[in-house]
């Protein structure tokens, strides 16, 4: 029997919503309106098409951008810039995907993804099999 994962809450800032300030959250957030300020999150963030975010910095586990973001983007897991999005700022992440037709201006810093395996607690063959070479990862 599979273990049930704890459910994550999903919050949506509607198209009419304008938020100005510091936003902190731990689950998932979708912004479809306007945001100005700073985002400090451990959850996942999605900026919908038509949404406008002006930030000093936005930090979340993973960030998917379909709208407009001005400011630095920091996502240890991944950043995805979808077709038609506009991003002005530096990006720090372990994985990035930039679709065609993205208007991006900034620098990308790739973070090293740490192995989720404790190398002192496993056999050497098991550890070797757990390693993924960067050249083997899909681009």
């Amino acid at each position: 029997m599979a273990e049930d994962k704890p459910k994550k809450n999903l919050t949506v800032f509607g198209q009419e919503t304008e938020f100005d300030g510091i936003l902190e959250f731990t689950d998932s957030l979708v912004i479809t309106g306007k945001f100005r300020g700073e985002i400090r999150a451990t959850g996942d963030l999605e900026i919908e098409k038509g949404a406008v975010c002006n930030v000093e910095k936005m930090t979340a586990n993973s960030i998917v951008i379909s709208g407009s973001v001005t400011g630095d983007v920091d996502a240890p897991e991944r950043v995805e810039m979808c077709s038609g999005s506009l991003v002005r700022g530096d990006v720090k992440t372990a994985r990035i995907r930039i679709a065609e037709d993205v208007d991006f201006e900034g620098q990308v810093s790739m973070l090293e993804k740490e192995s989720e395996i404790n190398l002192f607690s496993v056999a050497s063959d098991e550890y070797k099999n757990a390693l993924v070479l960067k050249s083997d990862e899909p681009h």
Side-chain angles (χ1 to χ4, degrees), residues 14-86:
Q15 290 180 332
E16 307 81 30
T17 306
E18 290 191 29
F19 188 96
D20 195 342
I22 297 174
L23 181 61
E24 296 181 355
F25 61 91
T26 56
D27 285 340
S28 297
L29 175 69
V30 176
I31 297 176
T32 61
K34 291 185 168 104
F35 178 86
R36 183 172 38 256
E38 186 175 353
I39 297 174
R40 303 175 193 153
T42 55
D44 299 326
L45 175 62
E46 187 171 343
I47 312 299
E48 286 283 318
K49 191 171 195 71
V52 177
C53 295
N54 292 304
V55 297
E56 288 178 36
K57 184 177 188 180
M58 74 172 43
T59 304
N61 183 50
S62 72
I63 300 174
V64 177
I65 303 167
S66 298
S68 170
V69 173
T70 302
D72 293 344
V73 175
D74 190 349
E77 182 65 33
R78 72 182 175 101
V79 170
E80 184 172 344
M81 296 180 205
C82 301
S83 181
S85 63
L86 180 140

Side-chain angles (χ1 to χ4, degrees), residues 90-132:
D90 295 340
V91 175
K92 272 190 205 173
T93 188
R95 295 183 318 179
I96 190 163
R97 179 173 175 262
I98 303 176
E100 288 186 35
D101 193 29
V102 170
D103 188 350
F104 172 56
E105 187 178 306
Q107 295 183 347
V108 176
S109 300
M110 299 304 292
L111 302 173
E112 285 290 323
K113 195 82 169 125
E114 290 183 24
S115 175
E116 294 177 12
I117 215 167
N118 179 347
L119 68 102
F120 297 106
S121 68
V122 295
S124 61
D125 287 343
E126 192 179 344
Y127 179 70
K128 284 179 193 172
N129 291 335
L131 289 177
V132 175

